Amino acid sequence: MLKDRLKLPASDKPGRIFPDRLGSLVMVAGLDEKGNEIERSEFEVESGEELEAIKPGALGFHRESDDGGEVMDDGKDENDQRIRKKMNKDAASTSVSVLKSISLDEKRSDLEYELSRREINLEKLRRIASTGIPDGGGLRATAWKLLLGYLPSSHDLWETQLKENRQKYASMKEELLMNPSEHIWKEPTHLNSTKQHEDNNADGPLRRQEISVEDHPLSLDKESLWRQYFQHTEIVEQIDRDLQRTHPDMPFFSAETSFSRKNREAMKNILLLFAKSNPAICYVQGMNEVLAPIYFVFSTDTDKQNAANAEADSFSCFVRILGDSVDHFCQQLDNSSSGILATLSRLSDILKVNDEQLWHHLEFISKVKPQFYAFRWITLLLTQEFKFESILRIWDTILSNTFGVQDMLLRICCAMLLCVKSRLLSGDFVANIKLLQHYPDDINLEYLLQVAQDICPDTSSYILSL
């Protein structure tokens, strides 16, 4: 199993500006802070009584310097500067938020328009999706299905295609996941009832339905459905354990509610069906992590019919995503040209071309080989390295790549190394292993993805200029 092979470890209220000065002005006018008149006895002076002179700066006003220029009281000046800096910072932050909101609205509008067209322009869809798909409205679910080829580009064919795929999935479930006792073995119902009626009309003891040797639960025959059924019991138990650990911080997957149990049951069906239909690969620990983003996105689609069929749609798209990297899960193919070791070697080559200094440090000085950190990155499509919302954003870019999942995945892996270059160059084996097996969450994700976009996978001719 993959794990055995890896062995990886109330905001404060804003202060009023210049409260002392305003307070002083109010008191001089004989008013309190709310504008109410103060009793005369407190403020009245006798005619001819000499008032005490107010010292310069006592009220916090500007005062003139010797050369006629205005200066501020030192304490007030420092306070005012802090206030102004905070105001400027808040204004800049607000400006960025507004621009970001406008950008998201424009992107959402472009994506909605593209998905509503009768013929989808996949090249434009990839371009929009690669920069991040806005949450909500089912946009990501529809876009991912198109990017994976599960939906055709012709909008008119969607309904037919979805109906056929969902029916195929239902048939596969009935054939491969149903308990053998539920098959009633497989005489048509009307024949069973006719035969039972004839038996009951006969005199003498009641007869039971004949059960062949192959259909007996204790049969050891290779063709026995019961034998095949019991063979997968261990796999089912492993899947159940893994699903209990899938994103434990998200109630969608891990809570003990009927909703969460329904989600885990659907995911179990998908993984078990994949294992039974792909016996050479079967189920490998970690596949649950690859399935989780797909099932979450599809089951939270705002289209109720699509959400109700999330299990069937997720199965097909899960198979399509693994199609580009399924050999990574097969230990017998580790040393083949399509195996995980060849892919790790390619990542090392990409890093060498783009940053030979960092490559040399990792390979020969700290001796941190890609097998020690990138095995998990690649096989699990980065689902263990980032927060869930970041995983969805990364997959927007990965699935939008014209050259396939693995091409962009390796570029992102290389970018992850480049973004922590200074830390890696100053670290030894232990420090670097710890850093890469627990990738820091203070890296700007959009910057990282831009670096990945700028990396060319052609290791024979391209050097990245940073």
Side-chain angles (χ1 to χ4, degrees):
M1 292 190 181
L2 187 58
K3 184 177 179 182
D4 295 330
R5 296 168 63 193
L6 285 172
K7 297 183 180 179
L8 300 172
S11 64
D12 295 332
K13 294 182 180 179
R16 292 177 299 162
I17 301 177
F18 312 137
D20 290 341
R21 297 183 206 165
L22 294 178
S24 298
L25 284 171
V26 169
M27 293 305 293
V28 170
L31 302 174
D32 61 18
E33 292 183 350
K34 297 182 179 179
N36 301 318
E37 187 175 355
I38 301 175
E39 291 185 9
R40 187 172 178 82
S41 60
E42 298 179 12
F43 215 80
E44 191 174 46
V45 294
E46 296 294 336
S47 177
E49 184 180 347
E50 184 177 355
L51 297 178
E52 183 180 353
I54 299 176
K55 297 179 181 179
L59 298 180
F61 293 121
H62 288 43
R63 55 185 172 86
E64 292 187 358
S65 62
D66 294 338
D67 58 1
E70 285 189 337
V71 298
M72 292 285 293
D73 179 77
D74 291 341
K76 298 295 183 183
D77 187 43
E78 293 178 3
N79 186 47
D80 292 350
Q81 287 181 8
R82 285 196 297 269
I83 293 173
R84 289 192 186 97
K85 286 180 180 179
K86 185 178 187 304
M87 291 174 66
N88 291 336
K89 184 177 179 181
D90 291 344
S93 177
T94 301
S95 177
V96 170
S97 298
V98 171
L99 291 174
K100 186 176 180 181
S101 177
I102 293 173
S103 176
L104 284 174
D105 288 343
E106 290 178 349
K107 188 186 297 184
R108 181 184 299 279
S109 178
D110 289 345
L111 196 53
E112 287 175 346
Y113 170 74
E114 195 58 44
L115 295 178
S116 67
R117 296 180 64 181
R118 196 166 181 180
E119 187 70 28
I120 308 298
N121 185 331
L122 291 177
E123 182 179 350
K124 185 176 180 181
L125 176 62
R126 289 190 186 98
R127 188 166 60 251
I128 298 172
S130 66
T131 63
I133 300 173
D135 296 326
L139 295 177
R140 180 173 276 121
T142 304
W144 281 14
K145 290 172 185 176
L146 283 161
L147 294 171
L148 287 166
Y150 181 62
L151 285 178
S153 59
S154 175
H155 204 296
D156 295 339
L157 299 177
W158 286 10
E159 185 176 352
T160 302
Q161 190 73 38
L162 288 172
K163 184 177 180 180
E164 290 179 358
N165 287 335
R166 290 164 181 173
Q167 287 177 342
K168 287 179 182 177
Y169 180 76
S171 298
M172 290 180 67
K173 277 185 70 175
E174 183 178 355
E175 180 183 352
L176 297 176
L177 299 187
M178 188 177 291
N179 187 312
S181 63
E182 298 175 12
H183 279 271
I184 315 178
W185 254 135
K186 265 215 173 186
E187 281 186 49
T189 305
H190 70 277
L191 293 180
N192 277 334
S193 60
T194 301
K195 183 176 180 181
Q196 184 178 8
H197 179 70
E198 292 174 352
D199 289 344
N200 289 340
N201 285 339
D203 294 333
L206 296 177
R207 298 181 184 179
R208 61 174 185 157
Q209 186 175 340
E210 294 295 330
I211 300 177
S212 65
V213 174
E214 292 79 8
D215 301 336
H216 196 283
L218 299 180
S219 173
L220 298 179
D221 190 278
K222 291 182 179 180
E223 301 300 321
S224 170
L225 287 177
W226 279 105
R227 183 174 184 272
Q228 296 173 23
Y229 178 77
F230 287 128
Q231 278 182 331
H232 288 91
T233 301
E234 185 178 344
I235 297 174
V236 172
E237 292 174 353
Q238 181 63 58
I239 292 174
D240 280 333
R241 286 194 296 270
D242 291 346
L243 289 175
Q244 289 286 351
R245 295 191 290 260
T246 303
H247 296 288
D249 57 328
M250 294 181 63
F252 179 91
F253 297 105
S254 60
E256 289 303 323
T257 63
S258 58
F259 174 72
S260 300
R261 285 192 288 269
K262 179 182 74 69
N263 293 333
R264 290 196 295 271
E265 186 67 23
M267 293 175 68
K268 180 173 73 172
N269 291 339
I270 294 169
L271 295 170
L272 183 56
L273 189 56
F274 178 86
K276 288 191 172 186
S277 56
N278 295 275
I281 306 164
C282 204
Y283 169 78
V284 179
Q285 190 174 16
M287 287 182 175
N288 57 302
E289 302 291 350
V290 178
L291 173 61
I294 307 170
Y295 182 76
F296 175 85
V297 168
F298 291 176
S299 62
T300 55
D301 193 337
T302 52
D303 184 297
K304 292 183 179 180
Q305 185 176 5
N306 287 336
N309 288 280
E311 182 180 327
D313 296 344
S314 297
F315 173 79
S316 295
C317 291
F318 175 70
V319 172
R320 289 167 185 267
I321 286 180
L322 287 190
D324 200 25
S325 59
V326 69
D327 290 348
H328 294 163
F329 289 96
C330 189
Q331 190 170 6
Q332 291 82 355
L333 298 176
D334 280 356
N335 294 305
S336 70
S337 59
S338 61
I340 184 62
L341 295 180
T343 302
L344 292 170
S345 178
R346 187 178 172 214
L347 171 61
S348 181
D349 292 341
I350 294 174
L351 177 62
K352 181 179 181 180
V353 168
N354 288 279
D355 196 316
E356 188 167 359
Q357 179 192 16
L358 180 56
W359 170 82
H360 184 271
H361 181 83
L362 292 176
E363 286 285 330
F364 300 105
I365 299 178
S366 62
K367 298 186 184 301
V368 178
K369 306 292 183 182
Q371 291 89 327
F372 300 150
Y373 60 88
F375 188 99
R376 186 177 69 187
W377 292 7
I378 293 170
T379 53
L380 302 188
L381 276 66
L382 300 174
T383 55
Q384 293 289 282
E385 317 312 318
F386 297 90
K387 295 178 180 178
F388 193 76
E389 58 270 20
S390 298
I391 295 169
L392 302 183
R393 171 63 189 92
I394 291 170
W395 278 33
D396 290 340
T397 297
I398 288 178
L399 300 183
S400 302
N401 187 41
T402 307
F403 301 104
V405 169
Q406 286 299 304
D407 177 84
M408 180 53 68
L409 177 61
L410 290 180
R411 288 157 67 177
I412 293 175
C413 290
C414 183
M416 290 169 66
L417 296 171
L418 296 176
C419 286
V420 292
K421 175 180 177 179
S422 59
R423 303 186 211 185
L424 291 172
L425 290 178
S426 62
D428 57 11
F429 175 83
V430 175
N432 287 346
I433 284 290
K434 184 178 180 180
L435 176 67
L436 296 178
Q437 289 187 355
H438 301 87
Y439 196 76
D441 57 7
D442 60 348
I443 301 297
N444 185 305
L445 183 59
E446 293 301 326
Y447 173 74
L448 188 153
L449 293 175
Q450 186 56 57
V451 172
Q453 294 276 15
D454 293 339
I455 292 175
C456 179
D458 183 1
T459 57
S460 62
S461 61
Y462 183 82
I463 298 180
L464 177 68
S465 57
L466 291 176

